[in-house]
Amino acid sequence: MRIGHIQLANRLFAAPMAGVTDRPFRQLCKRLGAGYAVSEMVTSRKDLWSSLKTSRRADHAGEAAPISVQIAGTDAAMMAEAAAYNIERGAQIIDINMGCPAKKVCSKWAGSALMRDETLALEIADAVVAACAPHDVPVTLKMRTGWSASERNAVRLAVGAENAGIAMVTVHGRTREQGYKGTAEYDTVAAVKAAVRIPVVANGDIDTPAKAGEVLASTGADAIMIGRAAQGRPWIFREIAHYLDTGDELPPPEVDEAKGWLLAHLDDHYRLYGEATGVRSARKHIGWTVQALPGGAEFRARMNLIETCAQQVAAVGDWFDELADRGERMPTARRAPPTSDPMLQ
Ligand SMILES: Cc1cc2nc3c(=O)[nH]c(=O)nc-3n(C[C@H](O)[C@H](O)[C@H](O)COP(=O)(O)O)c2cc1C
């Protein structure tokens, strides 16, 4: 699997998720079998680049290659500048967001709203490709199947994008109108794959190794991208990798292994965010991990009151040690996939 001239380790991708797929989480996913991970969206608005939030998002220190940054915006020249800015900061691949359904993004004609204005969408693709070409940086595009059931134009847009020099398209099998409701469909992904020569990535509701295999087979996609199913369960990548390689399902990880991964993730997380912010923003990752497990809901409520890194680490360690007393491997209970995006107002 290649994106332009860049060879990837495999065809399992971690999805960009604002507020989730920061550098520590991307690193964790890569460590556990994702061949590629796209950063959270970075705005094309220059006035926000110096904000702490955006500068953290553009910090790739120590990240395993290839470093991929997603940009979002509505103005072709600004998007080209944003691409150049992120390349200066280490981006090796630039991804254009045409899939985000959030109102605050769409009302300004960014994200999936761009799918409704194909001329502007392709103008942006042209400008970003032109800005990246001198640096030999491939440009990719992430989109939904269309704006609504009656405006499903993913195939037309993908063909236009390929002609504009886009190196890969990812399709989330829902329309903008659906938000995260209903189920993802993969027929449109298959139709996109049949219409273009560049790699196509299938995304949406892939939450088990078997489903990963089915989606790859039914769409002919070159890769799959996983978002919500990796929240609190980043080892899904190694489970899928094993299944695709052997046809067998791996047993759940040992409790001690999962504990080690989460504690290492917390350490990385605190280093990026510092204590005050880090303790709070780590709560969601801990919560996702424990939520559906025995005693997880009570632990989560208790853990949400902790305000220091040392106490959070100790509490997580104790909780896993108690879990290990019940059995060697992680219980398989799963939480229902979240159906809302915090950016959806
Ligand atoms: C919390 C959250 C934040 C997201 N942020 C982004 C984003 O910044 N850029 C983007 O292209 N998609 C974003 N998405 C969409 C995901 O990349 C993905 O397309 C979607 O969740 C469907 O895949 P899944 O069913 O595997 O989660 C986000 C999704 C979630 C749940």
Side-chain angles (χ1 to χ4, degrees):
M1 173 69 209
R2 299 171 82 92
I3 303 176
H5 62 96
I6 298 176
Q7 177 72 45
L8 304 179
N10 63 29
R11 50 189 172 153
L12 306 180
F13 297 180
M17 291 185 282
V20 182
T21 42
D22 53 11
R23 173 164 48 88
F25 191 71
R26 294 197 297 277
Q27 283 287 77
L28 180 68
C29 292
K30 286 176 178 174
R31 194 176 150 203
L32 292 175
Y36 181 60
V38 185
S39 80
E40 313 160 86
M41 167 168 78
V42 172
T43 175
S44 63
R45 278 182 50 191
K46 234 178 179 167
D47 55 317
L48 298 177
W49 289 347
S50 58
S51 74
L52 188 55
K53 187 168 154 187
T54 302
S55 55
R56 272 201 194 112
R57 284 188 181 183
D59 173 356
H60 306 287
E63 184 169 351
I67 291 164
S68 166
V69 175
Q70 184 181 71
I71 57 174
T74 54
D75 178 272
M78 279 165 70
M79 288 287 273
E81 268 191 86
Y85 173 84
N86 282 288
I87 290 169
E88 266 171 45
R89 272 150 195 80
Q92 296 161 316
I93 297 171
I94 294 287
D95 185 53
I96 301 175
N97 180 334
M98 287 192 193
C100 176
K103 276 205 183 107
K104 68 178 177 189
V105 176
C106 284
S107 60
K108 292 183 199 132
W109 287 95
S112 52
L114 282 175
M115 293 194 72
R116 253 189 158 174
D117 186 342
E118 288 175 30
T119 310
L120 177 59
L122 295 177
E123 212 177 283
I124 289 176
D126 277 337
V128 175
V129 167
C132 293
H135 306 278
D136 216 9
V137 166
V139 181
T140 62
L141 197 85
K142 181 162 176 284
M143 59 166 110
R144 289 189 168 226
T145 53
W147 180 264
S148 63
S150 59
E151 292 173 87
R152 239 190 269 266
N153 59 342
V155 170
R156 210 168 47 232
L157 194 57
V159 170
E162 176 174 46
N163 291 334
I166 293 292
M168 178 182 86
V169 290
T170 300
V171 185
H172 173 190
R174 284 186 174 83
T175 61
R176 190 269 166 195
E177 203 172 63
Q178 280 180 286
Y180 287 85
K181 298 205 181 74
T183 49
E185 54 91 6
Y186 308 106
D187 290 349
T188 307
V189 183
V192 169
K193 172 63 194 166
V196 297
R197 278 153 304 163
I198 52 176
V200 173
V201 185
N203 168 240
D205 296 352
I206 299 170
D207 56 359
T208 61
K211 180 113 187 227
E214 280 161 30
V215 172
L216 279 168
S218 69
T219 59
D222 301 274
I224 47 171
M225 177 179 274
I226 292 145
R228 291 166 296 167
Q231 294 175 353
R233 214 172 128 236
W235 52 85
I236 190 170
F237 293 104
R238 72 171 200 170
E239 293 179 342
I240 295 176
H242 183 82
Y243 178 81
L244 295 179
D245 283 350
T246 66
D248 294 330
E249 302 243 0
L250 270 182
E254 290 176 8
V255 173
D256 276 349
E257 274 180 303
K259 173 184 163 187
W261 294 328
L262 181 55
L263 291 181
H265 179 202
L266 291 180
D267 187 52
D268 240 17
H269 189 91
Y270 303 145
R271 283 174 204 272
L272 181 62
Y273 294 100
E275 176 136 20
T277 305
V279 165
R280 284 155 194 257
S281 53
R283 288 175 188 157
K284 59 180 175 282
H285 292 285
I286 301 169
W288 289 327
T289 310
V290 305
Q291 205 166 298
L293 303 183
E298 298 76 29
F299 172 67
R300 190 175 172 215
R302 226 170 353 107
M303 184 270 307
N304 281 344
L305 302 174
I306 293 175
E307 297 285 353
T308 71
C309 298
Q311 285 173 341
Q312 197 173 53
V313 163
V316 167
D318 289 348
W319 186 79
F320 271 96
D321 291 345
E322 275 172 38
L323 188 66
D325 288 341
R326 296 169 185 246
E328 195 190 348
R329 295 197 176 266
M330 289 294 281
T332 47
R334 290 211 194 113
R335 73 198 172 96
T339 52
S340 69
D341 175 336
M343 295 190 307
L344 270 175
Q345 306 300 320

